Amino acid sequence: MSSPQQHRWDVDQIVAYRLPPYPPFDLPPLPRISDPALEEIIDSNVSTELRSLRLDKDLFVMDGPDQKSFEELHTVGFALIEAIATTWAHDRYRHFRQGEANLVRSHMIRKSSLSQLTVRYNLHTRINFDPNVSVWSEVDIGRIQAEVFEAYIGALYYSLLGTIHTATNNGEKSKEVEDGHEDTSLSSTEEHFIVPTTLEMDRFINYELQREKKRISISHIRPIKEELKRFPIPDSWERADELAKGSKTLLDITSVREGLVYTYVQVGSWVNTPWKVGCKVVDVDGREWTAEATRMTKKKAENMAAWRICVEMGLIAEDD
């Protein structure tokens, strides 16, 4: 049985896991951005490692307060994608909890996944890289590709808001419809692509996450610990320990040349592991005396080892 810390570590590995490339399932067509100004923001954005910000009052902003920026578009776009994925997960997993469904949702909206969608929709061709930056890592490119997809979704949102605002305020159709252009909202023929595509992504992500979980669990299998037994305490110890009481003190006050030396070690693998204590003393004549004793506590083992030396040295009788 894994510990909570081990389980948390395994979950962290699953969260950090990078999915392989998506299989070639069909994607729904992207709606067209009706506002040329919003589309121009995407096309004219230059990706750099560090974007320069200017201070406006108490806020760091990219442009004037009334202007849309690429950063705003991809921030709003990601929020919309996250909201859609969360809502979909609630519908897909009726008993949504912090678990499998949340992992799938997280992998659906992470940068490495969105960057694949960017390439599938050919949006990566609209990325302008700063020529002054000579080295772009795979992570940098993936992040920038994901931001372009997010910005496109954000531009669609603002574009749709503008269309609704125009139709509502003027009491007439939007300019796009007046000009004979198609409506930019998702048509019923496009909607039927969304659910099958989402389900395909879900199945793919679920399958890969289960494979990774199995790989992690196999790589961290620990040998089953042998169940420890209790050390069998002999009945004779209780009476012997009564006889040995005070023997350590007696040996301490006996005239010795080099004093007492005790050694301690736990013996065996038991639930209640006993202590083995060794005792050595050198008397005034230079004779060395040694003894050992095993007990459940150090104090009792010390007394018993000292008692045995005291008996050998003739300081006390064996039956005293």
Side-chain angles (χ1 to χ4, degrees), residues 115-126:
S115 66
Q116 293 190 55
L117 297 180
T118 303
V119 176
R120 291 288 185 90
Y121 282 117
N122 208 36
L123 295 177
H124 64 294
T125 58
R126 304 174 71 164

Side-chain angles (χ1 to χ4, degrees), residues 21 30 73 77-78 107 136 140 320:
L30 276 179
L73 291 182
F78 177 76
H107 280 277
W136 292 91
D140 290 331
D320 287 350

Side-chain angles (χ1 to χ4, degrees), residues 36-288:
L38 292 172
E39 193 158 17
E40 176 64 20
I41 294 175
I42 298 176
D43 291 332
S44 62
N45 176 69
V46 177
S47 296
T48 60
E49 287 185 320
L50 295 175
R51 297 179 176 88
S52 59
L53 302 176
R54 65 179 178 83
L55 186 61
D56 182 9
K57 296 182 180 179
D58 296 328
L59 300 175
F60 285 99
V61 297
M62 285 297 299
D63 298 287
D66 298 327
Q67 297 177 344
K68 295 288 186 295
S69 69
F70 182 85
E71 279 65 31
E72 180 180 351
L73 291 182
H74 83 72
T75 300
V76 171
F78 177 76
L80 290 170
I81 294 169
E82 187 175 31
I84 292 170
T86 302
T87 303
W88 174 84
H90 275 285
D91 293 337
R92 169 75 166 143
Y93 301 92
R94 295 297 179 179
H95 303 289
F96 184 84
R97 292 291 184 272
Q98 290 289 336
E100 298 294 331
N102 199 30
L103 284 174
V104 174
R105 182 195 67 85
S106 298
H107 280 277
M108 290 181 72
I109 64 175
R110 71 191 313 170
K111 298 294 185 184
S112 58
S113 298
L114 296 181
S115 66
Q116 293 190 55
L117 297 180
T118 303
V119 176
R120 291 288 185 90
Y121 282 117
N122 208 36
L123 295 177
H124 64 294
T125 58
R126 304 174 71 164
I127 298 175
N128 298 313
F129 288 98
D130 186 347
N132 296 322
V133 180
S134 58
V135 178
W136 292 91
S137 69
E138 183 180 356
V139 175
D140 290 331
I141 295 175
R143 172 181 57 80
I144 294 167
Q145 288 176 341
E147 289 179 356
V148 170
F149 183 78
E150 295 162 1
Y152 194 95
I153 300 301
L156 282 176
Y157 169 73
Y158 282 118
S159 181
L160 181 60
L161 281 185
T163 301
I164 295 174
H165 178 74
T166 301
T168 302
N169 288 349
N170 298 336
E172 55 189 11
K173 294 182 179 180
S174 65
K175 184 176 185 303
E176 287 73 28
V177 177
E178 286 180 354
D179 293 341
H181 295 157
E182 293 183 2
D183 188 359
T184 58
S185 60
L186 287 174
S187 65
S188 58
T189 57
E190 292 170 341
E191 287 176 353
H192 82 277
F193 284 101
I194 297 178
V195 174
T197 302
T198 306
L199 291 177
E200 287 183 76
M201 291 175 64
D202 174 35
R203 294 191 193 101
F204 168 74
I205 295 173
N206 249 320
Y207 174 74
E208 294 297 334
L209 292 182
Q210 293 300 328
R211 282 184 55 186
E212 182 64 9
K213 284 175 61 177
K214 184 176 181 181
R215 187 195 67 79
I216 292 174
S217 63
I218 292 176
S219 64
H220 292 93
I221 288 179
R222 287 171 171 77
I224 300 175
K225 291 185 177 179
E226 182 181 355
E227 185 177 355
L228 299 180
K229 299 180 180 180
R230 295 189 66 83
F231 180 82
I233 303 175
D235 295 336
S236 60
W237 279 13
E238 185 176 358
R239 181 177 180 277
D241 289 341
E242 285 296 321
L243 292 175
K245 282 183 178 180
S247 297
K248 183 175 184 293
T249 302
L250 175 62
L251 200 58
D252 285 342
I253 63 177
T254 301
S255 178
V256 294
R257 190 173 69 184
E258 297 183 10
L260 294 172
V261 176
Y262 289 95
T263 59
Y264 307 89
V265 62
Q266 285 189 290
V267 293
S269 297
W270 307 88
V271 175
N272 54 335
T273 306
W275 287 92
K276 178 186 285 187
V277 174
C279 180
K280 183 178 74 171
V281 61
V282 180
D283 63 18
V284 293
D285 299 324
R287 184 177 177 182
E288 184 176 284

